[in-house]
């Protein structure tokens, strides 16, 4: 348990967004994907996921870890199928955002969701690192926290950001407690608790995070970890299960998404900021990873805030 306490203490939690939505027409997203972790609380109606159409029932929560693609059904498992790209750009056609506190959970085909980041040492996405699929949660504590965060997000009260931040941190801790209590993903958690204690790996995580726009070749990484250039790739993969260059690309792309969402920098500038001198190559890799062009990722923000 001490290992898990250390991981929880090292987590940097960041609230992204929260909404209460009412479905206007059923749809199926064949490859739903988001960088943030998403907790979807079903108030009314049907939300299902996966090829086997597993249903999250009313009062249950569907958890979709960031970076994990899944098939997602809203309202009808035989509804119109669209891509994640189309879903992002046309979301306002399918959902209406509720702004009435008293109406939360009252409308047919409605749900609330909270999106957040949870990074170990502010570098590694904790839930993504578990490499687990979407799953259903039955927890009144988590459901209550989701509603509290949604309620705060709908009001303009003093200390709003502080309260949301505190609730989101509690939400993440309760989610980890739920996973541990139900003995879920035991092997993955054991592996993570081992490699997150290795100081050389922590140095690598921090160096990569602080130098995303620079040279992050295995030669450079070997000097940071004080291991041979031939061994550093094997060392990193042995502890994390992922090749260091694949991890670096994911971090670069995640940073690019953040810059697209929060700045007015050009695609070219953002690509350069995250280590890509060739803009065309950056755009190709971005679309390959997220399924949509970088420009559409930027434009989607207005439609995501339905």
């Amino acid at each position: 348990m001490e290992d898990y306490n250390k991981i929880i203490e090292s987590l940097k939690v960041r609230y992204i967004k929260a909404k209460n939505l009412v479905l206007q027409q059923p749809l199926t997203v064949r490859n739903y994907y988001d960088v943030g972790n998403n907790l979807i609380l079903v108030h009314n109606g049907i939300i299902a996921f996966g090829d086997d159409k597993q249903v999250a029932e009313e009062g249950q929560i569907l958890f979709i870890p960031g970076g994990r693609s899944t098939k997602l059904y809203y309202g009808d498992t035989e509804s119109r199928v669209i891509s994640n790209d189309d879903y992002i750009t046309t979301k306002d056609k399918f959902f209406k955002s509720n702004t009435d506190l008293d109406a939360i959970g009252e409308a047919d085909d409605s749900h609330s969701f909270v999106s957040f980041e949870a990074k170990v040492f502010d570098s590694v996405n904790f839930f993504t690192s578990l490499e687990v699929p979407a799953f259903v949660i039955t927890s009144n504590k988590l459901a209550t926290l989701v509603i509290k965060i949604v309620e705060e997000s709908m009001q303009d009260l003093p200390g709003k950001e502080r309260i949301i931040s505190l609730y989101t941190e509690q939400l993440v801790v309760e989610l980890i407690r739920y996973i541990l209590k139900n003995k879920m993903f035991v092997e993955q958690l054991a592996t993570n608790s081992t490699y997150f204690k290795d100081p050389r790996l922590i140095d690598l995580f921090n160096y990569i995070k602080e130098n995303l726009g620079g040279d992050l070749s295995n030669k450079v990484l070997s000097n940071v970890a004080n291991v041979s250039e031939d061994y550093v790739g094997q060392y990193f993969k042995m502890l994390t299960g992922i090749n260091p260059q694949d991890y670096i690309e994911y971090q670069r792309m995640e940073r690019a998404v953040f810059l697209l969402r929060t700045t007015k920098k050009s695609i070219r500038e953002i690509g350069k900021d995250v280590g890509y001198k060739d803009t065309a190559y950056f755009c190709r890799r971005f679309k390959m990873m997220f399924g949509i062009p970088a420009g559409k990722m930027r434009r989607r923000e207005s439609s995501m805030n339905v």
Side-chain angles (χ1 to χ4, degrees):
M1 195 57 65
E2 181 182 351
D3 290 345
Y4 300 131
N5 282 332
K6 288 180 180 178
I7 290 175
I8 290 171
E9 288 302 315
S10 70
L11 279 179
K12 175 73 172 181
V13 176
R14 184 177 74 87
Y15 164 82
I16 299 176
K17 59 182 176 290
K19 292 282 182 181
N20 178 242
L21 299 176
V22 180
L23 185 67
Q24 301 298 292
Q25 56 178 303
L27 76 153
T28 297
V29 187
R30 67 168 175 264
N31 58 337
Y32 177 86
Y33 180 99
D34 196 2
V35 174
N37 304 286
N38 284 277
L39 282 166
I40 303 171
L41 171 61
V42 183
H43 295 302
N44 225 300
I46 294 173
I47 295 182
F49 64 100
D51 292 332
D52 58 352
K53 301 179 181 179
Q54 184 177 345
V55 175
E57 298 177 354
E58 294 177 9
Q60 292 183 326
I61 299 170
L62 171 59
F63 178 52
I64 306 177
R68 299 289 297 186
S69 177
T70 190
K71 198 167 188 177
L72 196 55
Y73 306 82
Y74 289 102
D76 184 349
T77 56
E78 302 299 328
S79 58
R80 173 188 173 191
V81 180
I82 63 174
S83 69
N84 195 58
D85 189 354
D86 290 337
Y87 171 69
I88 287 167
T89 56
T90 62
K91 190 173 181 182
D92 56 340
K93 294 181 180 179
F94 297 100
F95 294 100
K96 179 182 178 182
S97 182
N98 170 45
T99 57
D100 181 357
L101 284 174
D102 294 330
I104 293 177
E106 296 299 320
D108 292 339
D109 292 315
S110 66
H111 69 272
S112 293
F113 79 91
V114 175
S115 181
F116 64 91
E117 276 184 357
K119 293 186 175 182
V120 182
F121 309 116
D122 202 14
S123 302
V124 182
N125 287 295
F126 177 71
F127 296 104
T128 305
S129 72
L130 293 178
E131 295 187 351
V132 297
F135 62 92
V136 172
I137 295 168
T138 303
S139 167
N140 290 333
K141 279 187 178 180
L142 283 166
T144 299
L145 285 167
V146 168
I147 293 172
K148 284 183 176 180
I149 293 170
V150 169
E151 287 176 341
E152 280 292 328
S153 72
M154 291 167 64
Q155 302 176 82
D156 189 19
L157 298 173
K160 169 181 175 178
E161 289 77 13
R162 182 69 180 275
I163 292 296
I164 288 177
S165 177
L166 290 171
Y167 280 151
T168 306
E169 288 199 4
Q170 186 179 353
L171 185 77
V172 172
V173 173
E174 291 294 346
L175 177 54
I176 294 173
R177 285 179 174 179
Y178 181 90
I179 289 171
L180 292 173
K181 180 181 178 181
N182 290 278
K183 296 182 170 58
M184 303 169 70
F185 320 124
V186 175
E187 185 176 338
Q188 294 95 322
L189 283 166
T191 301
N192 279 9
S193 67
T194 298
Y195 75 69
F196 284 143
K197 292 187 295 185
D198 191 308
R200 291 177 299 175
L201 191 62
I202 296 169
D203 288 343
L204 282 173
F205 287 150
N206 288 331
Y207 186 85
I208 290 168
K209 178 191 171 188
E210 293 168 7
N211 295 276
L212 285 176
D215 181 4
L216 291 174
S217 63
N218 280 5
K219 182 177 181 180
V220 171
L221 298 182
S222 68
N223 291 328
V224 174
N226 197 26
V227 297
S228 72
E229 183 179 351
D230 292 336
Y231 178 65
V232 69
Q234 181 183 343
Y235 163 77
F236 192 95
K237 188 169 184 178
M238 177 179 67
L239 293 179
T240 66
I242 187 173
N243 179 289
Q245 295 307 318
D246 289 342
Y247 170 78
I248 289 165
E249 180 169 54
Y250 181 84
Q251 294 300 312
R252 281 174 163 160
M253 290 301 179
E254 190 178 59
R255 177 65 180 169
V257 170
F258 174 78
L259 292 174
L260 285 165
R261 287 174 167 172
T262 60
T263 74
K264 294 183 179 180
K265 288 185 175 183
S266 68
I267 303 297
R268 182 179 180 180
E269 288 176 309
I270 290 173
K272 188 176 179 181
D273 283 351
V274 298
Y276 292 87
K277 296 179 181 178
D278 185 334
T279 305
Y281 179 70
F282 164 69
C283 290
R284 286 198 302 273
R285 296 302 299 171
F286 189 98
K287 186 173 182 181
M288 186 175 293
M289 181 168 289
F290 297 115
I292 62 172
K296 276 195 175 181
M297 177 68 80
R298 165 168 280 161
R299 291 195 296 273
R300 84 178 192 165
E301 289 309 298
S302 58
S303 61
M304 287 195 67
N305 294 321
V306 210

